[in-house]
Amino acid sequence: GALGWSRRPTDVVDVARPHERAARESDMTAAAFSAAHAAGDAAPMDLVPHAKSAGVPEKKSAADSAADAATAARDKSKNDAKHGKKSKTTKDDSKGERDDDDTRDAKLSPVERCEKRIRAAKRATRSELSVSGGEWSKNGYALNPDVLSTANLGDDVPRISAKEVSVREFRERFENPRLPCIITDAMDHWPAMKTWTYDGFLSRFGNQKFKVGADDDGYAVRLKFQHIYHYVTCTNENSPGKVTAESDDSPLYIFDGSFGDKDGSKPLLDDYDVPAYFKEDLFGVAGEKRRPPYRWVVIGPPRSGSSVHVDPLATSAWNALISGKKRWCLFPPTRGLTKPDLKPKGIGLDGESVTWFRKMYPKTRSHEWRFEKNFPTPLDVVQNPGEIMYVPDGWWHAVLNLEHTVAVTQNVVGSGRFDKVWRMTKRGRPKMSAQWLEKLKEKRTDLAAIALQQPRRGFESADEKTSSSSSSSSSEESSDSEDLYEYKPDAVRDERPAVCDAVLLEMAAAREKRRAAEARAAARARARREAEKG
């Protein structure tokens, strides 16, 4: 007829679903057999169950099998391309799929094509939220000024200058006792301080894909930077599909650990260098291909960030902020303080940093937290551009981007904490640890001897838990509980039940007291160095 085809009047079309049609055919056949058996007749040949109805696979022709295989391959290729996975299809199949995509996308404007990719990334990274239903902004965090407010926030982490504190002094004051600090004057010479801007990335890496999350199966979800640029810089007024970060409660952000391994983004490695305090990187002895993930470029809009976690395998971390501001919350290693305490169920946490700061952080300032559960009050600090945050191993920490931020971060292992890292790695990544040990025998015989002398599992590691997941990009990290101690800095002894002038004055006095103590310790260290030189 009008559609260009006709059907004989005697043809009957069954529009039921395949499984419903098969069940109906099976029921009809069984009824006919029962009737024939009751009449004492043999079952007529046309009522013999078909192989398909009886549950026996129907034998397909070679042409049908080939067509089904090609269809399955195209479907998988399409799904892999959607989530940025590597396709295993042949070159011809891949080319055909790309041609189909290009044909469909050719009908879209560049902006519509870009926003189509953004919507796909959103659905993949947080499948529980409806993009079209507006669930990415259901909490209204973008409209609430308190979400990014730092009013009355403490400044509980000491700052040191890389020009004044030597590597030896840093290890004595911070690395060995496992105390966090913020390092200044260590990034001024980096080319990244001038080139790592949104516009700079767009011009250099506009077509390069960066990881913005993971799907439900753990596969990386990637977007081209030109699409990320549109997402984070455009307003909803300029977005036909209104899919920008402007109104999202917890926006997508780049946390990419493969930038140094890809030709397209590898030049980023030339834009910064590892600070002198972290030149010793013992996992590097194992080789780039064997070592666990350890470096990430981090680019995110306001309200993005990492929920509370502990870095894996007892590694420490440094985070260098190129631009923007980050809010940090840190908890010292404390016996009994575990993930269920910091990420409890039943309070509406969803794995996002902004939600944790809104719903869980206030509980860590309560009377119950400090005096009934005997948990430590967290350390608060705002990191500014040009500063490096040092987070020792075992410290729980959460990060919230207060502005558009660009940063680079790395996990490191120093000699002072090798014994702990070795135990964690041997249990968490046994194959990698065996290869690491062979390299240590060649390059660091002293550490290899320590590794060989350690017991299989002793009392000192009885409470340890390990995770080999990558760093703070994961929302399901585990805790390490060895070498725990009661951490009671003067600046955070008192809970903050309310904020008033008296409380603020007391907090300021405590900070001054701590800074004075730090200054005296630094003076003694300088005097000792001068005496050694003399």
Side-chain angles (χ1 to χ4, degrees):
L3 296 179
W5 52 272
S6 62
R7 188 184 304 277
R8 290 179 298 168
T10 55
D11 286 345
V12 178
V13 181
D14 191 346
V15 297
R17 293 183 176 88
H19 67 278
E20 294 174 346
R21 187 164 59 249
R24 184 167 61 249
E25 292 171 355
S26 179
D27 292 341
M28 293 170 59
T29 304
F33 264 99
S34 298
H37 179 72
D41 298 330
M45 290 302 295
D46 59 344
L47 292 180
V48 175
H50 296 292
K52 183 176 181 180
S53 301
V56 179
E58 183 180 4
K59 186 175 181 181
K60 297 181 179 181
S61 66
D64 290 340
S65 299
D68 290 346
T71 300
R74 284 196 298 271
D75 290 344
K76 185 178 185 305
S77 177
K78 183 186 298 183
N79 183 68
D80 289 348
K82 173 182 176 182
H83 298 313
K85 304 175 190 177
K86 293 182 178 179
S87 175
K88 296 182 180 179
T89 56
T90 63
K91 291 183 179 180
D92 292 339
D93 287 339
S94 298
K95 183 177 184 301
E97 183 61 34
R98 285 196 303 270
D99 291 343
D100 291 342
D101 287 341
D102 292 343
T103 301
R104 288 191 295 268
D105 288 352
K107 300 178 181 179
L108 303 176
S109 68
V111 173
E112 290 174 333
R113 195 156 48 243
C114 169
E115 295 194 346
K116 175 183 176 182
R117 302 288 189 269
I118 295 171
R119 282 192 297 271
K122 282 188 168 186
R123 293 190 185 100
T125 55
R126 299 195 66 186
S127 60
E128 77 278 11
L129 298 182
S130 170
V131 178
S132 59
E135 292 187 355
W136 275 69
S137 56
K138 63 181 180 180
N139 296 313
Y141 289 155
L143 304 176
N144 187 348
D146 293 338
V147 170
L148 301 178
S149 174
T150 59
N152 304 317
L153 197 65
D155 184 21
D156 305 322
V157 178
R159 283 175 166 82
I160 63 171
S161 171
K163 296 179 180 179
E164 300 177 359
V165 178
S166 66
V167 173
R168 176 180 176 181
E169 184 179 349
F170 176 82
R171 291 176 176 171
E172 292 176 353
R173 292 173 55 188
F174 300 102
E175 182 178 339
N176 294 339
R178 299 166 70 197
L179 297 177
C181 68
I182 288 182
I183 304 164
T184 63
D185 304 320
M187 304 165 51
D188 298 340
H189 62 287
W190 288 6
M193 294 298 292
K194 296 180 179 179
T195 61
W196 283 26
T197 63
Y198 280 10
D199 290 337
F201 266 78
L202 182 63
S203 63
R204 297 171 65 190
F205 311 107
N207 287 318
Q208 182 69 31
K209 288 186 176 181
F210 293 88
K211 181 180 176 181
V212 294
D215 64 14
D216 293 338
D217 296 323
Y219 288 98
V221 178
R222 303 180 185 277
L223 281 174
K224 290 183 178 180
F225 190 84
Q226 59 181 316
H227 299 154
I228 299 171
Y229 183 89
H230 174 83
Y231 173 69
V232 300
T233 61
C234 286
T235 64
N236 282 339
E237 293 181 358
N238 300 324
S239 169
K242 301 188 184 303
V243 295
T244 68
E246 181 184 39
S247 59
D248 287 349
D249 291 329
S250 179
L252 295 171
Y253 74 110
I254 294 175
F255 204 106
D256 192 293
S258 62
F259 73 94
D261 304 320
K262 297 180 178 179
D263 292 337
S265 54
K266 188 174 290 186
L268 290 171
L269 295 176
D270 299 328
D271 294 339
Y272 73 95
D273 55 35
V274 176
Y277 302 137
F278 312 113
K279 292 291 187 182
E280 183 185 45
D281 186 7
L282 296 178
F283 270 146
V285 176
E288 286 295 316
K289 294 183 178 180
R290 293 189 178 95
R291 67 177 302 164
Y294 72 104
R295 62 188 175 200
W296 296 265
V297 60
V298 188
I299 304 176
R303 299 182 304 284
S304 61
S306 298
S307 187
V308 67
H309 65 280
V310 170
D311 289 333
L313 300 178
T315 56
S316 300
W318 58 267
N319 185 301
L321 186 58
I322 310 297
S323 61
K325 291 186 177 182
K326 289 178 179 285
R327 176 183 176 181
W328 290 76
C329 176
L330 304 98
F331 297 85
T334 306
R335 188 169 299 280
L337 181 61
T338 61
K339 178 180 174 180
D341 299 308
L342 289 164
K343 303 179 78 170
K345 297 180 179 179
I347 65 171
L349 298 182
D350 55 6
E352 301 301 308
S353 174
V354 65
T355 308
W356 187 89
F357 274 98
R358 293 297 296 170
K359 297 187 176 183
M360 185 59 205
Y361 173 80
K363 297 181 182 298
T364 68
R365 291 292 182 187
S366 67
H367 183 277
E368 177 186 5
W369 179 270
R370 185 68 184 95
F371 295 102
E372 296 181 18
K373 295 184 176 181
N374 292 319
F375 288 153
T377 306
L379 276 64
D380 292 316
V381 71
V382 173
Q383 181 186 13
N384 299 309
E387 295 182 338
I388 300 175
M389 168 65 76
Y390 168 65
V391 182
D393 67 280
W395 281 70
W396 290 91
H397 54 284
V399 191
L400 180 66
N401 291 323
L402 302 177
E403 301 174 354
H404 287 282
T405 60
V406 179
V408 61
T409 181
Q410 291 193 186
N411 285 24
V412 294
V413 178
S415 300
R417 298 293 296 166
F418 171 76
D419 56 345
K420 170 73 176 295
V421 175
W422 170 253
R423 287 195 299 274
M424 301 287 287
T425 306
K426 188 176 181 180
R427 294 207 320 273
R429 303 190 63 164
K431 292 183 179 180
M432 179 263 169
S433 66
Q435 297 169 336
W436 188 25
L437 179 59
E438 293 304 314
K439 294 294 183 178
L440 289 172
K441 290 178 180 179
E442 299 175 5
K443 301 179 181 180
R444 291 295 301 269
T445 56
D446 55 331
L447 298 179
I450 294 175
L452 293 171
Q453 291 173 1
Q454 285 192 1
R456 180 178 179 85
R457 185 172 178 85
F459 70 91
E460 75 282 355
S461 60
D463 293 330
E464 290 178 352
K465 297 179 182 179
T466 184
S467 169
S468 59
S469 62
S470 60
S471 184
S472 52
S473 59
S474 173
S475 62
E476 296 297 332
E477 297 82 359
S478 63
S479 168
D480 314 327
S481 55
E482 187 206 7
D483 297 337
L484 305 178
Y485 53 89
E486 290 296 326
Y487 185 82
K488 297 180 179 179
D490 292 339
V492 295
R493 286 183 65 93
D494 297 325
E495 64 167 335
R496 299 173 190 171
V499 177
C500 60
D501 291 343
V503 173
L504 292 176
L505 289 173
E506 184 178 353
M507 290 167 54
R511 285 197 294 271
E512 290 300 323
K513 179 179 178 181
R514 187 197 68 233
R515 289 170 178 169
E518 291 286 344
R520 290 194 297 270
R524 288 194 297 270
R526 285 194 295 271
R528 184 174 62 252
R529 289 198 301 272
E530 293 176 358
E532 291 175 353
K533 292 180 180 179

